[in-house]
Amino acid sequence: KHNLQVNYTRRLDRPDYSQLNPFKRFEDQYYSAAGNPYLNPQYSDNIDVTHIYNQWLTNSVGYSYFTQIITGVTLQNDSTKQSTQTQINLSNGSYSYYNLFIQKELKKWWSLQFSANVYYIKFNGAIASSALDIGNLSSNYYINNDFILPKNFKIQLTAHYDAPHLFATTYMKARGSVDFAIKKAFLKRGE
């Protein structure tokens, strides 16, 4: 009925070609993007503890510490009003989280999947010689319902929500979606 897992990983993430390529790609006369050939790899140390109950309820908590975080920034030249999006390394950061995942057949005709992720993320470093020390608490949620109906019909109802959050210098507004699907099988299984 109970399964307990403890995991530790040390990870190395190298920048890809587009993050390193220094040649400018112009979107218009005021905005361009360029890679940074001086980017360093990003390192992280991660630990998480996961408890699974009866194969349908999963709880996990974890912590990650990052060094040389690769992130995108937009820098503006005030005299020309031109902005360039590029990649830099921030000094360090951390990510702490709690995850809840439920996967259960509630009735023969109804199965449910639900997940919730609550996290705190923090960044430290310098951007264009200005200090950055920022963190925020956020969350995201997902629910999926599958309904099996008579005459080989199946209905799926899914909802997703991301709370507002910061990632280094980027602010992401709240967003979400609701999806509905209906499926009708015309052939029996195995045909």
Side-chain angles (χ1 to χ4, degrees), residues 134-189:
I134 193 166
N136 75 299
L137 180 69
S138 191
S139 58
N140 52 58
Y141 307 91
Y142 171 83
I143 188 166
N144 179 68
N145 293 279
D146 289 317
F147 303 98
I148 298 171
L149 302 176
K151 301 193 179 195
N152 296 322
F153 276 97
K154 183 177 180 182
I155 293 177
Q156 185 176 60
L157 179 63
T158 303
H160 178 258
Y161 174 75
D162 284 332
H165 65 277
L166 286 169
F167 187 86
T169 61
T170 304
Y171 173 75
M172 305 293 280
K173 291 183 177 180
R175 62 187 185 276
S177 65
V178 175
D179 298 298
F180 174 81
I182 188 164
K183 176 182 171 183
K184 164 76 170 147
F186 293 99
L187 299 175
K188 293 181 181 176
R189 289 184 184 189

Side-chain angles (χ1 to χ4, degrees), residues 6-17:
V6 178
N7 295 306
Y8 168 79
T9 58
R10 177 152 172 85
R11 186 179 168 125
L12 162 71
D13 295 304
R14 296 185 189 280
D16 64 31
Y17 175 76

Side-chain angles (χ1 to χ4, degrees), residues 13-14 21 26 54 57 64 78 97 105 112 115 117 136 148 162 172 176 180 184-186 190:
D13 295 304
R14 296 185 189 280
N21 184 353
F26 289 91
N54 217 17
L57 175 66
S64 298
D78 290 334
Y97 68 88
E105 185 178 283
L112 168 80
S115 68
N117 179 25
N136 75 299
I148 298 171
D162 284 332
M172 305 293 280
F180 174 81
K184 164 76 170 147
F186 293 99

Side-chain angles (χ1 to χ4, degrees), residues 43-176:
Y43 295 90
S44 64
D45 291 284
N46 314 283
I47 187 163
D48 66 78
V49 179
T50 303
H51 174 256
I52 302 170
Y53 173 73
N54 217 17
Q55 300 299 314
W56 67 269
L57 175 66
T58 304
N59 287 284
S60 59
V61 293
Y63 176 79
S64 298
Y65 181 77
F66 298 88
T67 55
Q68 302 183 154
I69 299 170
I70 298 172
T71 188
V73 294
T74 302
L75 305 172
Q76 180 176 305
N77 181 327
D78 290 334
S79 62
T80 64
K81 303 298 184 208
Q82 293 177 329
S83 296
T84 302
Q85 194 278 333
T86 190
Q87 305 289 315
I88 64 167
N89 288 106
L90 292 177
S91 297
N92 60 64
S94 61
Y95 177 75
S96 307
Y97 68 88
Y98 167 73
N99 287 340
L100 170 68
F101 180 71
I102 297 170
Q103 182 172 348
K104 189 154 179 74
E105 185 178 283
L106 301 174
K107 303 279 185 188
K108 274 189 99 77
W109 50 271
W110 178 18
S111 62
L112 168 80
Q113 290 179 338
F114 172 79
S115 68
N117 179 25
V118 179
Y119 61 92
Y120 181 79
I121 192 165
K122 184 164 178 53
F123 297 95
N124 295 300
I127 298 174
S129 70
S130 295
L132 176 72
D133 183 7
I134 193 166
N136 75 299
L137 180 69
S138 191
S139 58
N140 52 58
Y141 307 91
Y142 171 83
I143 188 166
N144 179 68
N145 293 279
D146 289 317
F147 303 98
I148 298 171
L149 302 176
K151 301 193 179 195
N152 296 322
F153 276 97
K154 183 177 180 182
I155 293 177
Q156 185 176 60
L157 179 63
T158 303
H160 178 258
Y161 174 75
D162 284 332
H165 65 277
L166 286 169
F167 187 86
T169 61
T170 304
Y171 173 75
M172 305 293 280
K173 291 183 177 180
R175 62 187 185 276

